[in-house]
Coordinates of all heavy atoms in Angstrom, one line a residue:
A75 N 25.0 12.4 -19.3 CA 25.7 13.2 -20.3 C 24.7 13.8 -21.3 O 25.0 14.9 -21.8 CB 26.7 12.3 -21.1
A76 N 23.6 13.2 -21.6 CA 22.7 13.7 -22.6 C 22.0 15.0 -22.0 O 21.4 15.8 -22.8 CB 21.6 12.7 -22.9
M77 N 22.0 15.2 -20.7 CA 21.4 16.4 -20.1 C 22.4 17.4 -19.7 O 22.1 18.4 -19.1 CB 20.6 16.0 -18.8 CG 19.5 15.0 -19.0 SD 18.7 14.7 -17.4 CE 17.5 13.4 -17.9
D78 N 23.7 17.2 -20.0 CA 24.7 18.1 -19.5 C 24.5 19.6 -19.9 O 24.7 20.4 -19.0 CB 26.1 17.6 -20.1 CG 27.3 18.4 -19.4 OD1 27.0 19.0 -18.4 OD2 28.4 18.3 -20.0
A79 N 24.1 19.8 -21.1 CA 23.9 21.2 -21.5 C 22.7 21.9 -20.9 O 22.6 23.1 -20.6 CB 23.8 21.3 -23.0
E80 N 21.6 21.1 -20.7 CA 20.3 21.6 -20.2 C 20.3 21.7 -18.7 O 19.5 22.5 -18.1 CB 19.2 20.8 -20.7 CG 19.0 20.9 -22.2 CD 17.8 20.1 -22.7 OE1 17.3 19.3 -21.9 OE2 17.4 20.4 -23.9
A81 N 20.9 20.8 -18.0 CA 20.8 20.7 -16.5 C 21.7 21.7 -15.9 O 22.8 21.5 -15.3 CB 21.2 19.3 -16.0
R82 N 21.3 23.0 -16.0 CA 22.0 24.1 -15.5 C 21.5 24.5 -14.1 O 20.3 24.3 -13.8 CB 22.0 25.3 -16.4 CG 22.6 25.0 -17.8 CD 22.5 26.2 -18.7 NE 21.1 26.5 -19.1 CZ 20.7 27.5 -19.8 NH1 21.6 28.4 -20.2 NH2 19.4 27.7 -20.1
P83 N 22.3 25.2 -13.3 CA 21.8 25.7 -12.0 C 20.6 26.7 -12.3 O 20.7 27.6 -13.1 CB 23.0 26.5 -11.4 CG 24.2 25.7 -12.0 CD 23.8 25.4 -13.4
G84 N 19.5 26.5 -11.5 CA 18.3 27.3 -11.7 C 17.3 26.6 -12.5 O 16.1 27.1 -12.6
A85 N 17.6 25.5 -13.2 CA 16.6 24.9 -14.1 C 15.6 24.0 -13.4 O 16.0 23.5 -12.3 CB 17.4 24.1 -15.2
R86 N 14.5 23.8 -14.0 CA 13.4 22.9 -13.4 C 13.7 21.5 -13.9 O 14.0 21.3 -15.1 CB 12.0 23.3 -13.9 CG 11.6 24.8 -13.6 CD 10.3 25.0 -14.2 NE 10.0 26.5 -14.2 CZ 9.2 27.1 -13.4 NH1 8.6 26.4 -12.4 NH2 8.9 28.4 -13.5
V87 N 13.6 20.6 -13.0 CA 13.9 19.2 -13.3 C 12.8 18.3 -12.6 O 12.1 18.7 -11.7 CB 15.3 18.7 -12.9 CG1 16.3 19.5 -13.7 CG2 15.5 18.9 -11.4
R88 N 12.8 17.0 -13.0 CA 12.0 16.0 -12.4 C 13.0 14.9 -11.9 O 13.9 14.5 -12.7 CB 11.0 15.4 -13.3 CG 9.9 16.3 -13.7 CD 8.7 15.6 -14.3 NE 7.8 15.1 -13.3 CZ 6.8 14.3 -13.4 NH1 6.6 13.8 -14.6 NH2 6.0 14.0 -12.4
V89 N 12.9 14.5 -10.7 CA 13.7 13.5 -10.1 C 12.9 12.4 -9.4 O 11.8 12.6 -9.1 CB 14.7 14.1 -9.1 CG1 15.7 15.1 -9.8 CG2 14.0 14.8 -8.0
R90 N 13.5 11.3 -9.3 CA 12.9 10.2 -8.6 C 13.3 10.3 -7.1 O 14.4 10.1 -6.8 CB 13.3 8.8 -9.2 CG 12.8 8.7 -10.6 CD 13.0 7.3 -11.1 NE 12.6 7.2 -12.5 CZ 11.3 6.9 -12.9 NH1 10.4 6.7 -11.9 NH2 10.9 6.9 -14.1
F91 N 12.3 10.5 -6.2 CA 12.5 10.7 -4.8 C 12.1 9.4 -4.1 O 11.0 8.9 -4.3 CB 11.8 11.9 -4.3 CG 12.2 12.4 -2.9 CD1 13.4 13.1 -2.8 CD2 11.5 12.0 -1.8 CE1 13.8 13.5 -1.5 CE2 11.9 12.4 -0.6 CZ 13.0 13.2 -0.4
G92 N 13.0 9.0 -3.1 CA 12.7 7.8 -2.3 C 13.1 6.5 -3.0 O 12.6 5.5 -2.7
A93 N 14.0 6.6 -4.0 CA 14.5 5.4 -4.7 C 15.3 4.6 -3.7 O 16.0 5.1 -2.9 CB 15.2 5.7 -5.9
G94 N 15.3 3.2 -3.9 CA 16.1 2.3 -3.2 C 17.3 1.8 -4.0 O 17.3 1.8 -5.2
E95 N 18.4 1.4 -3.3 CA 19.6 0.9 -4.0 C 19.5 -0.6 -4.1 O 19.3 -1.3 -3.2 CB 20.8 1.3 -3.2 CG 22.1 1.0 -3.9 CD 23.3 1.6 -3.2 OE1 23.1 2.5 -2.3 OE2 24.4 1.1 -3.5
R96 N 19.6 -1.0 -5.4 CA 19.5 -2.4 -5.7 C 20.6 -2.8 -6.7 O 20.6 -2.2 -7.8 CB 18.1 -2.8 -6.2 CG 17.0 -2.5 -5.3 CD 15.7 -3.0 -5.9 NE 14.5 -2.6 -5.1 CZ 13.8 -1.5 -5.3 NH1 14.2 -0.6 -6.2 NH2 12.8 -1.2 -4.5
G97 N 21.4 -3.7 -6.4 CA 22.5 -4.2 -7.3 C 23.4 -3.1 -7.8 O 23.7 -3.1 -9.0
G98 N 23.8 -2.2 -6.9 CA 24.7 -1.1 -7.3 C 24.0 0.0 -8.1 O 24.8 0.8 -8.7
R99 N 22.7 0.1 -8.1 CA 22.0 1.2 -8.7 C 20.8 1.6 -7.9 O 20.3 0.7 -7.2 CB 21.7 0.9 -10.2 CG 20.7 -0.2 -10.3 CD 20.5 -0.6 -11.8 NE 19.6 -1.7 -12.0 CZ 19.6 -2.6 -12.9 NH1 20.6 -2.5 -13.8 NH2 18.7 -3.5 -13.0
R100 N 20.3 2.8 -8.2 CA 19.1 3.2 -7.4 C 17.9 3.1 -8.4 O 17.9 3.6 -9.5 CB 19.2 4.6 -6.9 CG 20.4 4.8 -6.0 CD 20.4 6.1 -5.3 NE 19.3 6.2 -4.3 CZ 19.4 5.8 -3.1 NH1 20.5 5.2 -2.7 NH2 18.4 5.9 -2.2
E101 N 16.8 2.5 -7.9 CA 15.6 2.3 -8.7 C 14.4 2.6 -7.8 O 14.4 2.6 -6.6 CB 15.5 0.8 -9.2 CG 16.6 0.4 -10.1 CD 16.5 -1.0 -10.6 OE1 15.6 -1.7 -10.1 OE2 17.2 -1.4 -11.5
G102 N 13.3 2.8 -8.6 CA 12.0 3.1 -7.9 C 11.9 4.5 -7.5 O 12.6 5.4 -7.9
G103 N 11.0 4.8 -6.6 CA 10.7 6.1 -6.1 C 9.7 6.9 -7.0 O 9.4 6.5 -8.1
G104 N 9.1 7.9 -6.4 CA 8.1 8.7 -7.1 C 8.7 9.9 -7.8 O 9.7 10.4 -7.3
L105 N 8.1 10.3 -8.9 CA 8.6 11.5 -9.6 C 8.1 12.8 -8.9 O 6.9 12.9 -8.7 CB 8.2 11.4 -11.0 CG 8.9 10.4 -11.9 CD1 8.1 10.2 -13.3 CD2 10.3 10.7 -12.1
V106 N 9.1 13.6 -8.6 CA 8.7 14.9 -8.1 C 9.5 16.0 -8.8 O 10.5 15.7 -9.4 CB 9.1 15.0 -6.6 CG1 8.2 14.0 -5.8 CG2 10.6 14.8 -6.3
N107 N 9.0 17.2 -8.8 CA 9.7 18.4 -9.4 C 10.7 19.0 -8.5 O 10.6 18.8 -7.3 CB 8.6 19.4 -9.8 CG 7.7 18.9 -10.9 OD1 8.0 17.9 -11.6 ND2 6.6 19.6 -11.0
G108 N 11.6 19.7 -9.1 CA 12.6 20.4 -8.3 C 13.4 21.4 -9.1 O 13.1 21.6 -10.3
F109 N 14.4 22.0 -8.5 CA 15.3 23.0 -9.1 C 16.7 22.6 -8.8 O 17.1 22.2 -7.7 CB 15.0 24.4 -8.5 CG 13.6 24.9 -8.8 CD1 12.6 24.7 -7.8 CD2 13.3 25.6 -9.9 CE1 11.3 25.1 -8.0 CE2 12.0 26.1 -10.1 CZ 11.0 25.9 -9.2
I110 N 17.5 22.7 -9.9 CA 19.0 22.5 -9.7 C 19.5 23.7 -9.1 O 19.3 24.8 -9.6 CB 19.7 22.2 -11.0 CG1 19.2 20.9 -11.6 CG2 21.2 22.1 -10.9 CD1 19.8 20.5 -13.0
V111 N 20.2 23.6 -7.9 CA 20.8 24.7 -7.2 C 22.3 24.8 -7.6 O 22.8 25.9 -7.6 CB 20.6 24.5 -5.7 CG1 21.4 25.5 -4.9 CG2 19.1 24.6 -5.4
E112 N 23.0 23.7 -7.8 CA 24.4 23.7 -8.0 C 24.8 22.5 -8.8 O 24.2 21.4 -8.6 CB 25.1 23.7 -6.6 CG 26.6 23.8 -6.6 CD 27.2 23.7 -5.3 OE1 26.4 23.5 -4.3 OE2 28.4 23.8 -5.1
R113 N 25.9 22.6 -9.6 CA 26.6 21.5 -10.2 C 27.9 21.3 -9.5 O 28.6 22.2 -9.3 CB 26.8 21.7 -11.7 CG 25.5 21.7 -12.5 CD 25.1 20.3 -12.9 NE 26.0 19.5 -13.6 CZ 26.1 19.5 -15.0 NH1 25.1 20.2 -15.7 NH2 27.0 18.8 -15.6
R114 N 28.2 20.0 -9.2 CA 29.5 19.7 -8.5 C 30.2 18.6 -9.1 O 29.7 17.8 -9.9 CB 29.1 19.3 -7.0 CG 28.5 20.4 -6.2 CD 27.9 19.9 -4.9 NE 29.0 19.3 -4.1 CZ 29.8 19.9 -3.2 NH1 29.6 21.2 -3.0 NH2 30.7 19.2 -2.5
A115 N 31.5 18.5 -8.7 CA 32.3 17.4 -9.3 C 32.1 16.1 -8.5 O 32.4 15.0 -9.0 CB 33.8 17.8 -9.2
D116 N 31.7 16.2 -7.2 CA 31.6 15.0 -6.4 C 30.4 15.3 -5.4 O 29.8 16.3 -5.4 CB 32.8 14.7 -5.6 CG 33.4 15.9 -4.8 OD1 32.7 16.9 -4.7 OD2 34.5 15.8 -4.4
S117 N 30.1 14.2 -4.6 CA 29.0 14.3 -3.7 C 29.4 13.8 -2.3 O 30.3 12.9 -2.2 CB 27.8 13.4 -4.2 OG 26.8 13.3 -3.2
D118 N 28.8 14.3 -1.3 CA 29.0 13.8 0.1 C 28.2 12.5 0.4 O 28.5 11.9 1.4 CB 28.7 14.9 1.1 CG 29.5 16.2 0.9 OD1 30.6 16.0 0.4 OD2 29.0 17.2 1.2
F119 N 27.3 12.2 -0.5 CA 26.5 11.0 -0.2 C 27.3 9.7 -0.5 O 27.9 9.6 -1.6 CB 25.3 11.0 -1.2 CG 24.3 9.9 -1.0 CD1 23.6 9.8 0.2 CD2 24.2 8.9 -1.9 CE1 22.7 8.7 0.4 CE2 23.3 7.8 -1.8 CZ 22.6 7.8 -0.6
P120 N 27.3 8.8 0.5 CA 28.2 7.6 0.3 C 27.7 6.6 -0.7 O 28.5 5.8 -1.1 CB 28.3 7.1 1.7 CG 27.0 7.5 2.4 CD 26.7 8.8 1.8
G121 N 26.4 6.6 -1.0 CA 25.8 5.6 -1.8 C 25.8 5.9 -3.3 O 26.5 6.9 -3.7
V122 N 25.0 5.2 -4.0 CA 24.9 5.4 -5.5 C 23.8 6.5 -5.7 O 22.8 6.5 -5.1 CB 24.5 4.1 -6.2 CG1 24.3 4.4 -7.7 CG2 25.5 3.0 -6.0
L123 N 24.1 7.4 -6.6 CA 23.2 8.5 -6.8 C 22.2 8.1 -7.9 O 22.6 7.5 -8.9 CB 24.0 9.8 -7.3 CG 24.9 10.4 -6.3 CD1 25.6 11.6 -6.9 CD2 24.2 10.8 -5.0
A124 N 21.0 8.5 -7.7 CA 20.0 8.3 -8.8 C 20.1 9.4 -9.8 O 20.4 10.6 -9.5 CB 18.6 8.4 -8.2
P125 N 20.0 9.1 -11.1 CA 20.1 10.2 -12.1 C 18.9 11.0 -12.2 O 17.8 10.6 -11.8 CB 20.3 9.3 -13.4 CG 19.6 8.1 -13.1 CD 19.8 7.8 -11.7
I126 N 19.1 12.2 -12.7 CA 18.0 13.1 -13.0 C 17.1 12.5 -14.0 O 17.6 12.0 -15.0 CB 18.5 14.5 -13.4 CG1 19.2 15.2 -12.3 CG2 17.3 15.4 -13.9 CD1 19.9 16.5 -12.8
A127 N 15.8 12.5 -13.8 CA 14.9 11.8 -14.7 C 14.6 12.7 -15.9 O 14.5 12.2 -17.0 CB 13.5 11.5 -14.0
Q128 N 14.4 14.0 -15.7 CA 14.0 14.8 -16.9 C 14.3 16.3 -16.6 O 14.2 16.7 -15.4 CB 12.5 14.7 -17.1 CG 12.0 15.4 -18.3 CD 10.5 15.2 -18.5 OE1 9.8 14.7 -17.6 NE2 10.0 15.7 -19.6
V129 N 14.8 17.0 -17.5 CA 14.9 18.5 -17.4 C 13.6 19.1 -18.0 O 13.4 19.0 -19.2 CB 16.1 19.0 -18.2 CG1 16.2 20.5 -18.1 CG2 17.4 18.4 -17.6
L130 N 12.8 19.6 -17.1 CA 11.5 20.2 -17.6 C 11.7 21.5 -18.4 O 11.0 21.7 -19.4 CB 10.6 20.5 -16.4 CG 10.1 19.3 -15.6 CD1 9.4 19.8 -14.4 CD2 9.3 18.4 -16.5
S131 N 12.7 22.3 -18.0 CA 13.0 23.5 -18.8 C 14.4 23.9 -18.5 O 14.8 23.9 -17.3 CB 12.0 24.6 -18.3 OG 12.5 25.9 -18.9
P132 N 15.2 24.2 -19.5 CA 16.6 24.6 -19.2 C 16.7 26.1 -18.8 O 17.8 26.6 -18.5 CB 17.2 24.4 -20.6 CG 16.1 24.6 -21.6 CD 14.9 24.1 -20.9
E133 N 15.6 26.8 -18.8 CA 15.6 28.2 -18.3 C 16.0 28.3 -16.9 O 15.4 27.7 -16.0 CB 14.3 28.9 -18.6 CG 13.9 29.0 -20.0 CD 14.8 30.0 -20.8 OE1 15.3 30.9 -20.2 OE2 14.9 29.8 -22.0
P134 N 17.1 29.1 -16.5 CA 17.5 29.2 -15.1 C 16.6 30.2 -14.4 O 16.8 31.4 -14.4 CB 18.9 29.7 -15.2 CG 19.0 30.5 -16.5 CD 18.0 29.8 -17.5
V135 N 15.5 29.7 -13.8 CA 14.5 30.6 -13.2 C 14.8 30.8 -11.7 O 14.2 31.7 -11.1 CB 13.1 30.0 -13.3 CG1 12.7 30.0 -14.8 CG2 13.0 28.6 -12.8
L136 N 15.7 30.0 -11.1 CA 16.0 30.2 -9.7 C 17.5 30.6 -9.6 O 18.4 29.7 -9.4 CB 15.7 28.9 -8.9 CG 16.0 28.9 -7.4 CD1 15.1 30.0 -6.7 CD2 15.7 27.5 -6.8
G137 N 17.7 31.9 -9.6 CA 19.1 32.4 -9.5 C 19.6 32.4 -8.1 O 18.9 32.2 -7.1
P138 N 20.9 32.7 -7.9 CA 21.5 32.7 -6.6 C 20.9 33.8 -5.7 O 20.6 33.5 -4.5 CB 23.0 32.9 -6.9 CG 23.2 32.5 -8.3 CD 21.9 32.8 -9.0
G139 N 20.6 34.9 -6.2 CA 20.0 36.0 -5.4 C 18.7 35.7 -4.9 O 18.3 35.9 -3.8
L140 N 17.8 35.1 -5.8 CA 16.5 34.7 -5.4 C 16.5 33.6 -4.4 O 15.7 33.5 -3.5 CB 15.7 34.3 -6.7 CG 14.2 33.9 -6.4 CD1 13.4 35.0 -5.7 CD2 13.5 33.5 -7.7
L141 N 17.4 32.7 -4.6 CA 17.6 31.5 -3.7 C 17.9 32.0 -2.3 O 17.4 31.6 -1.3 CB 18.6 30.5 -4.2 CG 18.8 29.3 -3.3 CD1 17.6 28.5 -3.2 CD2 20.0 28.5 -3.9
R142 N 18.9 33.0 -2.2 CA 19.2 33.5 -0.9 C 18.1 34.3 -0.2 O 17.9 34.1 1.0 CB 20.4 34.5 -1.1 CG 21.8 33.8 -1.4 CD 22.9 34.8 -1.2 NE 22.8 35.9 -2.1 CZ 23.4 35.9 -3.3 NH1 24.0 34.9 -3.8 NH2 23.2 37.0 -4.1
L143 N 17.3 35.0 -1.0 CA 16.1 35.7 -0.5 C 15.1 34.7 0.0 O 14.6 34.9 1.1 CB 15.5 36.6 -1.6 CG 14.2 37.3 -1.2 CD1 14.4 38.2 0.0 CD2 13.7 38.1 -2.4
C144 N 14.8 33.6 -0.7 CA 13.9 32.6 -0.3 C 14.4 31.9 1.0 O 13.6 31.6 1.9 CB 13.7 31.6 -1.4 SG 12.8 32.2 -2.9

Side-chain angles (χ1 to χ4, degrees):
M77 299 182 185
D78 189 16
E80 296 182 344
R82 298 181 290 175
R86 304 176 194 259
V87 293
R88 298 195 81 189
V89 295
R90 296 187 180 275
F91 192 80
E95 187 172 343
R96 302 182 185 90
R99 63 187 181 209
R100 301 191 71 85
E101 296 181 352
L105 288 169
V106 297
N107 294 342
F109 298 89
I110 295 179
V111 172
E112 181 186 5
R113 289 280 299 269
R114 296 170 55 92
D116 52 12
S117 172
D118 300 332
F119 183 69
V122 179
L123 297 180
I126 294 175
Q128 182 183 9
V129 177
L130 294 176
S131 170
E133 295 292 334
V135 293
L136 183 60
L140 180 58
L141 180 62
R142 288 193 298 269
L143 175 61
C144 293

